[in-house]
Amino acid sequence: MNTDELFPLYVIISVVVFLFFMFFLFIQLYLKAKKENVGGCCRTEVKPTLKQKKNNNHH
C-alpha cells in the first residue's frame, strides 16, 4: 500500500480520536459543573471577597 492510499485512513482515525477526546472533555466538564451547581466557582470567588471587605470595614 502506498502512503497516498493510507492518507484518508489517517485523516479518519485522527478525526475520530479528536472527536472522542473532545467528547470526553465535555463529559468531564459537564459532570464537574453539575457537582458545583453550575457557576458555583464564581459564587465562591465573590463571597470571600465580600466577607474580607466586611471584615476590613469593621476593623
Side-chain angles (χ1 to χ4, degrees), residues 29-48:
L29 290 173
Y30 175 74
L31 292 175
K32 186 178 179 184
K34 196 172 181 183
K35 262 187 192 176
E36 297 176 356
N37 293 329
V38 183
C41 63
C42 301
R43 290 178 188 162
T44 54
E45 285 176 3
V46 170
K47 286 180 181 177

Side-chain angles (χ1 to χ4, degrees), residues 4-57:
D4 294 336
E5 294 175 358
L6 290 174
F7 184 71
L9 185 66
Y10 291 144
V11 171
I12 291 169
I13 289 173
S14 61
V15 167
V16 168
V17 168
F18 177 75
L19 289 176
F20 176 76
F21 182 69
M22 292 301 289
F23 183 73
F24 179 75
L25 278 179
F26 177 77
I27 293 293
Q28 292 295 317
L29 290 173
Y30 175 74
L31 292 175
K32 186 178 179 184
K34 196 172 181 183
K35 262 187 192 176
E36 297 176 356
N37 293 329
V38 183
C41 63
C42 301
R43 290 178 188 162
T44 54
E45 285 176 3
V46 170
K47 286 180 181 177
T49 54
L50 292 174
K51 288 180 182 176
Q52 287 174 358
K53 287 179 183 176
K54 287 180 183 176
N55 290 338
N56 290 338
N57 290 337

